[in-house]
Amino acid sequence: MSFTVHTTETAPAAARPLLGTAEKAFGFVPNVLGVLAESPAALEAYLSLSSILGKSGLKPGEQQAVLITVSIHNGCAYCTAAHSTVADGLGVPAEVVDALRAGGPVPDDRYEALRRYTAAVLETRGFLADGELERFLGAGFTRANALDVLVGIALKAISNHANHLADTPLDEPFQARAWEAAEVA
């Protein structure tokens, strides 16, 4: 591992309060945050975007669906496991989470529309095929939600890539939802 997984004691001074807040919220400091703490700016950016996504028009389970979809696309085992665990805790049906982890299709029309739209934005870098946005809107989402998805994509750009750079070890609370890229269909 080429990066340290910092604690509130070992992190740079500017990152310590952020890790302390995360520790209070989660009951532990997730390893990805310990890695990001090497750069207080990266840690703050991740936590800020996470908070902003929480204020979006997407419901909490939908936010997790976006984050899982992006993490699958980017091949991030750490984030796929972590967000699958969070989605489970939010009551997202197991068959939905499992289908997201497998790369779809999802046996729920709304979640499938969200997964498909998110994947299309990632695959095309936003240059969507004709009808793709309309299908998303037809599933009951809004144009604001279409942009909310971009917040999730930006959030995962930070953590997915940091986890790849650092080979971040998976925390024990996420072990039950461990994932490997080979799982994608």
Side-chain angles (χ1 to χ4, degrees), residues 8-168:
T8 53
E9 292 79 32
T10 66
R16 290 178 185 172
L18 298 169
L19 289 181
T21 299
E23 187 170 26
K24 288 176 187 165
F26 298 113
F28 68 104
V29 175
N31 287 337
V32 65
L33 301 183
V35 166
L36 289 172
E38 184 72 26
S39 165
L43 178 59
E44 184 178 2
Y46 180 82
L47 293 172
S48 294
L49 280 173
S50 183
S51 176
I52 291 165
L53 181 61
K55 297 173 189 174
S56 76
L58 295 171
K59 296 174 186 168
E62 294 168 347
Q63 294 167 27
Q64 295 305 310
V66 169
L67 300 176
I68 293 167
T69 301
V70 177
S71 296
I72 295 288
H73 177 84
N74 291 334
C76 185
Y78 182 97
C79 286
T80 299
H83 292 292
S84 296
T85 301
V86 173
D88 291 340
L90 290 169
V92 177
E95 61 271 11
V96 168
V97 177
D98 292 343
L100 289 166
R101 290 166 55 92
V106 177
D108 175 286
D109 291 341
R110 186 167 170 90
Y111 278 109
E112 174 57 13
L114 182 57
R115 182 204 65 81
R116 182 180 168 145
Y117 172 78
T118 302
V121 170
L122 288 164
E123 291 165 10
T124 67
R125 295 178 318 278
F127 296 104
L128 297 176
D130 288 343
E132 197 68 51
L133 178 61
E134 290 73 19
R135 276 191 289 281
F136 180 70
L137 298 173
F141 290 101
T142 66
R143 290 184 186 280
N145 296 147
L147 297 172
D148 293 338
V149 167
L150 301 180
V151 178
I153 291 171
L155 176 65
K156 290 295 95 187
I158 295 170
S159 60
N160 290 170
H161 298 155
N163 288 324
H164 295 160
L165 288 169
D167 193 22
T168 307

